[in-house]
Amino acid sequence: QVQLVQSGSELKKPGASVKVSCKASGHTFTRYAVNWVRQAPGQGLEWMGWINTNTGNPTYAQGFTGRFVFSLDTSVSTAYLQVSSLKAEDTALYYCATHDYGSGAHFDYWGQGTLVTVSS
Amino acid sequence: QSVLTQPPSVSAAPGQRVTISCSGSSSNIGKNYVSWYQQLPGTAPKLLIYENNKRPSGIPDRFSGSKSGTSATLGITGLQTGDEADYYCGTWDSSLSAVVFGGGTKLTVL
């Protein structure tokens, strides 16, 4: 059973950084790519981009370049999202989600979400 | 403003059938597969339909998907109160080189 378990909620001040983890289990880590999806309070889903778990190569969606970094630690089957210079508008739920290489752009499995709150 | 357009809300009585539309363009739905996600209150989204009309293991056949041209539709039959959720369509946009979602549709089972 594929599972993605994310790190807990974070409360950060504006200008700080945050690192969210997404630990995979139940499958070979390199079998699926890891995507990141943002959901602002009361809003819809927004794709942030993805990281290739075989090469470590990240791809960022428009609007998520510069302050956002995707990374991996394959030794512990974990993907990371780091956001720097946090702003109030970064307050959101952040989800990791997998997609199968070679399949359509659909997300088979999702983490439970990590709430990041940016407030002074 | 979402790239894909969904109605903000739909409602129907228990046992009835409801459809949720998702409208796009030639650069997204027109040339790529559509997927649908169910987000129950306070939970993460779950994949309901992929590649337009396929259901992952464990998804009941009350849920169906279809696509025609630049639009897609999610159908739910035999509505249950447990189906109350937000539903999102998603696809790849070849012009944006990005996954795009609809704004979401809130289903109320009256």
Side-chain angles (χ1 to χ4, degrees):
Chain A
Q1 176 78 347
V2 175
Q3 270 198 311
L4 301 176
V5 178
Q6 297 184 226
S7 47
S9 298
E10 301 267 10
L11 173 60
K12 296 290 185 181
K13 293 191 185 310
S17 295
V18 68
K19 194 169 186 177
V20 176
S21 67
C22 170
K23 183 172 176 58
S25 63
H27 70 283
T28 303
F29 185 60
T30 52
R31 163 111 163 73
Y32 296 101
V34 174
N35 293 260
W36 290 95
V37 177
R38 184 170 77 176
Q39 187 170 37
Q43 301 301 306
L45 306 175
E46 187 176 20
W47 182 69
M48 302 173 65
W50 67 286
I51 186 164
N52 186 314
T53 53
N54 290 287
T55 64
N57 183 48
T59 298
Y60 301 98
Q62 204 168 13
F64 294 100
T65 56
R67 298 189 299 117
F68 300 84
V69 176
F70 307 149
S71 62
L72 302 171
D73 185 341
T74 54
S75 69
V76 289
S77 300
T78 301
Y80 300 94
L81 162 67
Q82 183 160 359
V83 187
S84 58
S85 302
L86 283 163
K87 308 173 184 179
E89 50 265 41
D90 293 322
T91 293
L93 268 166
Y94 291 83
Y95 293 102
C96 59
T98 61
H99 83 255
D100 199 346
Y101 296 108
S103 73
H106 60 268
F107 305 134
D108 309 85
Y109 304 100
W110 294 69
Q112 84 277 19
T114 295
L115 178 63
V116 175
T117 304
V118 183
S119 174
S120 54
Chain B
Q1 193 93 3
S2 302
V3 173
L4 306 180
T5 301
Q6 297 180 235
S9 64
V10 296
S11 62
Q16 295 299 302
R17 178 178 184 266
V18 72
T19 60
I20 297 173
S21 61
C22 176
S23 178
S25 69
S26 58
S27 66
N28 44 64
I29 292 179
K31 61 172 61 173
N32 295 299
Y33 288 126
V34 176
S35 53
W36 289 91
Y37 303 88
Q38 176 192 59
Q39 187 174 33
L40 296 167
T43 70
K46 180 173 79 171
L47 180 65
L48 273 186
I49 298 288
Y50 67 100
E51 293 181 2
N52 303 332
N53 55 19
K54 297 177 182 177
R55 283 176 286 106
S57 172
I59 301 299
D61 59 8
R62 299 189 300 108
F63 296 91
S64 63
S66 64
K67 185 182 105 166
S68 178
T70 59
S71 293
T73 302
L74 173 70
I76 311 173
T77 60
L79 275 173
Q80 303 171 2
T81 54
D83 296 331
E84 286 202 333
D86 293 322
Y87 292 84
Y88 294 90
C89 58
T91 187
W92 179 256
D93 189 298
S94 301
S95 294
L96 298 173
S97 291
V99 173
V100 292
F101 292 102
T105 298
K106 183 175 182 63
L107 169 63
T108 302
V109 181
L110 303 165

